[in-house]
Each structure stands twice: as structure tokens, then as C-alpha cells.
Amino acid sequence: MSNIEGLVSVKEELKGDVLVLRMQGRLDAISSPSAERKVFDYINNGQHNLLLDFSGIDYLSSAGMRMLLSITKKLKTLSGKLVLCLVTVNVMDVLKMSGFDHVLELVQSEEEALKKF
């Protein structure tokens, strides 16, 4: 488990060819750039199927949304996929208000998410 500048912690677990990243903290203007670098490290190391467990993310700013969009675009170019699961109510409200619920693949459970790959 690595802690990104004390704001977002990421715990990784490989399930078949899907990398599950359990994130905790706030994805805001301060933490998003380093969280994005961390996720891009996984992608650059050949992990193209990413499942983000957002049960521990209690705040998402526009910078966090930009990060998700950037990861989605990068994975699309690599024929990979990004799925988010267990999104908290507050974060889901932000995603819905911004229309991101139509851009991102969002599911309720980890089991459901793993079936998307």
C-alpha cells in the first residue's frame, strides 16, 4: 500500500488480468496529480484493465474528474478498460451532476465490475 502525499492511499490487488486499486482519501487539486502519476505507472507497466474501488474516496473535485478522464482516454488507446465500483454517494452526485456517469463505467460491486472485463 502506498500513500500519496498523505492524501490518497492506494492499495493494489491483482485479480486475474485486472488490477484492483482500492483508493482512500480525497481526490482534489492537491492529490490528483500524484494519484494520476501512480495510476499511469501501473498502465505504463502493462496493466491495461483497471478497477478503481472508490469506497474510500469521500471527495472528488474537478481535478479528480480530469484524472479519471485522462486515465480512461489513455486506456482506450491501449484497448484497456477502466471501471469504478463502490462509489460513495457524495462522489456519485458529483459524477452525475457533471455527466461523468455517462462517460465512466460505474458499477455497484466489485464482483459486477470484474464481469465487465
Side-chain angles (χ1 to χ4, degrees):
M1 178 156 135
S2 56
N3 203 357
I4 301 166
E5 292 175 14
L7 297 160
V8 177
S9 66
V10 179
K11 202 167 127 193
E12 63 264 359
E13 181 185 349
L14 202 55
K15 293 207 169 185
D17 63 348
V18 177
L19 181 63
V20 180
L21 297 177
R22 300 183 202 293
M23 304 181 98
Q24 281 197 299
R26 298 168 53 90
L27 275 172
D28 55 25
I30 295 164
S31 63
S32 291
S34 46
E36 184 174 347
R37 275 193 302 279
K38 177 102 176 121
V39 174
F40 270 84
D41 285 346
Y42 291 120
I43 294 170
N44 294 332
N45 288 327
Q47 296 293 342
H48 298 164
N49 289 325
L50 296 181
L51 168 56
L52 300 186
D53 175 340
F54 257 40
S55 59
I57 296 293
D58 48 24
Y59 178 80
L60 181 72
S61 73
S62 57
M65 291 191 288
R66 256 193 317 278
M67 177 197 91
L68 293 173
L69 198 56
S70 143
I71 293 166
T72 301
K73 286 180 174 173
K74 175 72 172 172
L75 287 172
K76 217 167 238 175
T77 66
L78 298 166
S79 303
K81 190 171 206 172
L82 175 70
V83 179
L84 273 68
C85 73
L86 301 166
V87 179
T88 58
V89 174
N90 291 349
V91 172
M92 186 61 89
D93 286 347
V94 170
L95 292 172
K96 284 182 176 169
M97 278 190 289
S98 62
F100 269 57
D101 56 326
H102 300 295
V103 177
L104 300 169
E105 190 136 8
L106 306 167
V107 296
Q108 297 293 319
S109 69
E110 189 175 311
E111 296 74 37
E112 197 182 333
L114 288 168
K115 289 178 189 163
K116 298 280 183 183
F117 292 97

